[in-house]
Amino acid sequence: MVVTLAGVVTGTDLDAFSNTVKQDRAVDPTWPALVDASALNPGAITTEMLRERANRVRTNPVRVAIVASADAVFGLARMFQMMSEGRGNHIEVFRGRPEAMAWLMSGSGAA
């Protein structure tokens, strides 16, 4: 599954997307995910917003590769990665999409 985060994204946006995906029967909850945040404006992202989502225990842990080319977004993604440790998903953060896809396809570091 590929998710693109572009422009200003709020917690409400993320929750609405998450609920839509959970209800979509065409989406296999075991699919790994590529989150492309290379066009994300980090202005609406707060530490509390990240913490709230990171603290959610995943019933179907998956591999998640986050692409964040901008320094600010990369830092936020790494913070989310660290906050999420031990809660199911195996999250890795990358500067470029090719590296992220290679990691997802390699199967290394299983969730």
Side-chain angles (χ1 to χ4, degrees), residues 5-46:
L5 301 178
V8 176
V9 176
T10 66
T12 302
D13 296 331
L14 293 175
D15 291 343
F17 173 75
S18 178
N19 288 334
T20 299
V21 169
K22 286 177 187 173
Q23 295 172 4
D24 188 340
R25 293 178 189 225
V27 175
D28 182 338
T30 65
W31 286 344
L34 173 73
V35 178
D36 189 342
S38 56
L40 177 67
N41 175 336
I45 307 293
T46 65

